[in-house]
Amino acid sequence: MTISMYKASVPIFLQFLTSLSAVLDKAAAFAEAKKIDPSVLLNMRLAPDMFPLVRQVRAATDHAITACGRLAGAEMPTFANNEASISELKERIARAIDLLKSLKPAQIDGSEGKEIKITFPSGAVREFTGQSLLLNNSLPNFYFHCTTAYDILRHCGLELGKRDFMGTPVQL
């Protein structure tokens, strides 16, 4: 039995980006209730050599839209990476969600064997099929950054649970 590349990508990204946005709402409420400058949360990290919360959210959105853009063969816009507030991060997530929703199943389905080459900033080139890009690179990276953002906020004392992380499955 085959699985739709669209259903294995877009609804998953939408579900977790939506839950990430809701977690950021809780972060804003937490900062207000505890009288903490929200920028403190945005700059928190789990370890000195890890990216802070703001960068985790940026990376999650980037992995979602670039993966789907590559699978669809669509040019996806890049974001400025200058968000400095929780509301600006939520706007970034909303823009990513809108971009993902603009893609149609016919654009992504059938991309399993599509040859995709990625040149990294180091100059290294990696070759993928559409399926290996999604399953072995994009989804694991996306989950890593969503999980790390969640973990940073949980570490800061926000009352978050598995339901906050998982959100609600999206039916498209």
Side-chain angles (χ1 to χ4, degrees):
M1 181 166 94
T2 60
I3 183 168
S4 158
M5 288 289 286
Y6 179 85
K7 288 183 179 178
S9 58
V10 174
I12 303 300
F13 291 131
L14 292 176
Q15 174 182 338
F16 284 88
L17 288 175
T18 301
S19 69
L20 184 56
S21 183
V23 165
L24 289 176
D25 286 335
K26 288 188 171 198
F30 177 84
E32 186 176 329
K34 299 287 185 182
K35 303 203 181 328
I36 298 169
D37 181 347
S39 68
V40 171
L41 296 177
L42 294 176
N43 291 302
M44 288 296 294
R45 55 186 80 217
L46 293 177
D49 63 345
M50 290 183 78
F51 291 139
L53 175 66
V54 65
R55 183 86 180 264
Q56 300 295 341
V57 174
R58 289 174 185 160
T61 59
D62 288 345
H63 280 289
I65 63 172
T66 58
C68 290
R70 286 179 174 130
L71 293 172
E75 192 67 36
M76 299 298 259
T78 57
F79 297 142
N81 292 330
N82 60 359
E83 298 83 11
S85 69
I86 292 173
S87 64
E88 288 174 351
L89 281 179
K90 285 182 56 65
E91 289 172 21
R92 180 188 180 104
I93 292 170
R95 286 194 316 270
I97 287 171
D98 288 344
L99 287 168
L100 293 171
K101 285 182 175 179
S102 74
L103 296 170
K104 304 296 179 232
Q107 292 175 272
I108 295 176
D109 283 341
S111 64
E112 297 88 341
K114 180 179 183 176
E115 292 182 18
I116 299 172
K117 288 184 184 180
I118 299 175
T119 303
F120 293 94
S122 67
V125 176
R126 285 199 52 204
E127 296 181 19
F128 298 93
T129 63
Q131 182 174 316
S132 69
L133 174 75
L134 180 64
L135 299 180
N136 302 110
N137 183 274
S138 299
L139 283 171
N141 273 292
F142 175 76
Y143 285 132
F144 173 84
H145 292 292
C146 287
T147 301
T148 304
Y150 169 93
D151 289 345
I152 288 169
L153 291 172
R154 185 69 187 100
H155 180 74
C156 288
L158 271 77
E159 291 186 23
L160 299 170
K162 185 176 175 181
R163 288 184 189 163
D164 296 301
F165 175 76
M166 294 296 294
T168 304
V170 173
Q171 300 296 322
L172 294 177

